Protein backbone atom coordinates (compact mmCIF):
# COMPACT_ATOMS: atom_id res chain seq x y z
CA UNK A 1 0.00 0.00 0.00
CA UNK A 2 1.27 3.48 -0.88
CA UNK A 3 0.55 5.64 2.18
CA UNK A 4 1.63 8.78 0.34
CA UNK A 5 -0.96 8.22 -2.40
CA UNK A 6 -3.67 7.54 0.18
CA UNK A 7 -2.82 10.65 2.22
CA UNK A 8 -2.68 12.73 -0.97
CA UNK A 9 -6.06 11.43 -2.07
CA UNK A 10 -7.63 11.99 1.35
CA UNK A 11 -6.06 15.45 1.62
CA UNK A 12 -8.57 16.99 -0.79
CA UNK A 13 -12.08 17.90 0.41
CA UNK A 14 -13.64 17.14 -2.99
CA UNK A 15 -12.22 13.63 -3.01
CA UNK A 16 -13.39 13.05 0.57
CA UNK A 17 -16.84 14.20 -0.54
CA UNK A 18 -16.81 11.64 -3.37
CA UNK A 19 -15.80 8.91 -0.91
CA UNK A 20 -18.64 9.98 1.39
CA UNK A 21 -21.08 9.73 -1.51
CA UNK A 22 -19.82 6.25 -2.38
CA UNK A 23 -20.06 5.25 1.27
CA UNK A 24 -23.71 6.33 1.28
CA UNK A 25 -24.47 4.48 -1.96
CA UNK A 26 -21.78 2.27 -3.42
CA UNK A 27 -21.63 1.47 -7.13
CA UNK A 28 -22.43 4.83 -8.70
CA UNK A 29 -21.80 6.06 -12.21
CA UNK A 30 -19.82 9.20 -12.95
CA UNK A 31 -23.05 11.02 -13.82
CA UNK A 32 -24.64 10.03 -10.50
CA UNK A 33 -21.55 11.18 -8.59
CA UNK A 34 -21.65 14.54 -10.39
CA UNK A 35 -25.22 15.31 -9.30
CA UNK A 36 -25.52 18.32 -6.97
CA UNK A 37 -21.77 19.02 -7.01
CA UNK A 38 -20.14 22.33 -7.88
CA UNK A 39 -17.65 20.50 -10.07
CA UNK A 40 -17.54 19.73 -13.75
CA UNK A 41 -17.82 16.15 -14.95
CA UNK A 42 -14.18 16.36 -16.01
CA UNK A 43 -13.09 17.49 -12.51
CA UNK A 44 -14.98 14.62 -10.88
CA UNK A 45 -13.36 12.18 -13.33
CA UNK A 46 -9.89 13.53 -12.42
CA UNK A 47 -10.62 13.18 -8.70
CA UNK A 48 -11.86 9.62 -9.25
CA UNK A 49 -8.64 8.81 -11.12
CA UNK A 50 -6.58 9.96 -8.12
CA UNK A 51 -8.79 7.91 -5.80
CA UNK A 52 -8.31 4.87 -8.05
CA UNK A 53 -4.53 5.36 -8.10
CA UNK A 54 -4.60 5.31 -4.29
CA UNK A 55 -6.75 2.13 -4.44
CA UNK A 56 -9.55 3.92 -2.54
CA UNK A 57 -11.99 3.46 -5.42
CA UNK A 58 -12.38 0.67 -7.94
CA UNK A 59 -14.56 0.59 -11.02
CA UNK A 60 -16.36 -2.08 -12.99
CA UNK A 61 -17.97 -1.99 -16.39
CA UNK A 62 -21.60 -3.09 -16.45
CA UNK A 63 -22.74 -2.90 -20.03
CA UNK A 64 -22.27 0.69 -21.11
CA UNK A 65 -22.01 1.96 -17.54
CA UNK A 66 -18.90 2.22 -15.41
CA UNK A 67 -19.72 1.84 -11.73
CA UNK A 68 -17.45 3.14 -8.97
CA UNK A 69 -17.04 1.38 -5.62
CA UNK A 70 -15.31 2.47 -2.43
CA UNK A 71 -12.43 0.36 -1.14
CA UNK A 72 -11.96 0.93 2.60
CA UNK A 73 -8.90 -1.34 2.93
CA UNK A 74 -6.31 1.46 2.48
CA UNK A 75 -8.17 3.66 4.98
CA UNK A 76 -8.17 0.80 7.46
CA UNK A 77 -4.43 0.36 6.87
CA UNK A 78 -3.88 4.03 7.68
CA UNK A 79 -6.00 3.69 10.82
CA UNK A 80 -4.05 0.64 11.97
CA UNK A 81 -0.66 2.17 11.26
CA UNK A 82 -1.16 5.81 12.20
CA UNK A 83 -4.18 6.13 14.48
CA UNK A 84 -4.56 2.97 16.54
CA UNK A 85 -0.99 2.97 17.83
CA UNK A 86 -1.46 6.46 19.30
CA UNK A 87 -4.90 5.59 20.63
CA UNK A 88 -3.56 2.53 22.49
CA UNK A 89 -1.24 4.67 24.58
CA UNK A 90 -4.16 6.87 25.64
CA UNK A 91 -6.27 3.84 26.50
CA UNK A 92 -3.45 2.41 28.62
CA UNK A 93 -3.11 5.75 30.43
CA UNK A 94 -6.85 5.91 31.10
CA UNK A 95 -6.82 2.33 32.37
CA UNK A 96 -3.93 3.06 34.73
CA UNK A 97 -5.71 6.19 35.97
CA UNK A 98 -8.91 4.22 36.57
CA UNK A 99 -7.03 1.57 38.53
CA UNK A 100 -5.22 4.22 40.57
CA UNK A 101 -8.47 6.05 41.38
CA UNK A 102 -10.28 2.85 42.27
CA UNK A 103 -7.37 1.88 44.52
CA UNK A 104 -7.51 5.22 46.33
CA UNK A 105 -11.30 5.19 46.69
CA UNK A 106 -11.36 1.70 48.17
CA UNK A 107 -8.94 2.51 51.02
Amino acid sequence: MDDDAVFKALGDASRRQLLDRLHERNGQTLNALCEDLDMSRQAVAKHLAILEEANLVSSEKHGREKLHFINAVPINGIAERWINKFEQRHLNTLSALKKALEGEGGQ
Side-chain angles (χ1 to χ4, degrees), residues 8-105:
K8 176 186 173 190
L10 294 174
D12 183 87
S14 296
R15 290 191 283 272
R16 291 191 306 269
Q17 184 179 21
L18 290 171
L19 289 173
D20 287 339
R21 293 181 83 144
L22 288 172
H23 182 262
E24 290 170 12
R25 194 179 96 232
N26 217 4
Q28 294 186 59
T29 64
L30 177 60
N31 286 335
L33 286 168
C34 289
E35 289 176 13
D36 303 322
L37 291 180
D38 285 338
M39 282 188 278
S40 68
R41 187 175 197 272
Q42 184 179 11
V44 172
K46 286 183 179 182
H47 285 302
L48 284 172
I50 292 169
L51 290 168
E52 285 190 42
E53 286 174 22
N55 199 26
L56 291 166
V57 168
S58 63
S59 58
E60 292 179 12
K61 284 275 201 173
H62 286 272
R64 294 176 56 185
E65 292 185 323
K66 183 178 181 182
L67 302 179
H68 302 277
F69 298 89
I70 193 168
N71 177 19
V73 173
I75 295 171
N76 185 59
I78 294 291
E80 286 178 350
R81 181 168 179 204
W82 295 101
I83 298 170
N84 292 348
K85 70 180 175 183
F86 296 107
E87 186 177 281
Q88 188 61 46
R89 183 176 42 175
H90 293 278
L91 292 173
N92 290 341
T93 302
L94 287 174
S95 178
L97 178 62
K98 180 181 182 275
K99 289 176 184 174
L101 290 173
E102 286 175 346
E104 288 179 10

